[in-house]
């Protein structure tokens, strides 16, 4: 629950990811955070698992205790990655920052 509810505001063993392109773009453009790298990485989850990574699909909210965590997980179609994402599992990288746009 804590990893889903608090995202990058806490330190934990999970990497929050999404199955939704719209959610990825939202968070790449800053979302709830004050800053962003303006980047989306596509990850081949099958390859990631073959290389020893664990994928926890929480997109249905099932197994989460708090309503906040369930809502975040469902809205963002969230999956939690456990382990390092090797470069071989990254399929694409998109930079989303619009030229001339001021952020910060």
């Amino acid at each position: 629950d804590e990893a889903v509810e608090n995202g990058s505001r806490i330190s934990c063993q999970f990497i929050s990811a999404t199955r939704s392109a719209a959610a990825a773009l939202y968070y790449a453009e800053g979302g709830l955070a004050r800053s962003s790298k303006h980047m989306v990485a596509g990850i081949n989850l099958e390859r990631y698992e073959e290389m020893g990574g664990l994928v926890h699909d929480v997109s249905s909210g099932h197994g989460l205790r708090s309503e906040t965590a369930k809502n975040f997980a469902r809205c963002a179609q969230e999956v939690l990655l456990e382990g390092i994402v090797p470069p071989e599992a990254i399929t694409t990288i998109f930079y989303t920052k619009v030229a001339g746009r001021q952020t910060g």
Side-chain angles (χ1 to χ4, degrees), residues 2-85:
E2 193 173 16
V4 175
E5 193 168 326
N6 295 299
S8 62
R9 291 178 289 177
I10 63 166
S11 180
C12 69
Q13 79 260 28
F14 299 109
I15 299 168
S16 291
T18 179
R19 293 185 184 275
S20 163
L25 182 60
Y26 172 77
Y27 286 103
E29 287 299 298
L32 301 173
R34 293 191 179 142
S35 64
S36 172
K37 299 242 187 241
H38 299 280
M39 181 174 56
V40 174
I43 300 169
N44 180 324
L45 295 179
E46 287 180 20
R47 180 79 175 124
Y48 174 69
E49 288 180 305
E50 288 171 2
M51 300 182 80
L54 297 174
V55 177
H56 305 277
D57 188 342
V58 294
S59 60
S60 69
H62 182 73
L64 300 173
R65 293 181 296 270
S66 80
E67 286 303 312
T68 301
K70 288 177 186 180
N71 288 336
F72 280 154
R74 285 190 292 255
C75 288
Q77 297 179 29
E78 189 163 5
V79 293
L80 298 174
L81 307 182
E82 190 172 355
I84 295 169
V85 179

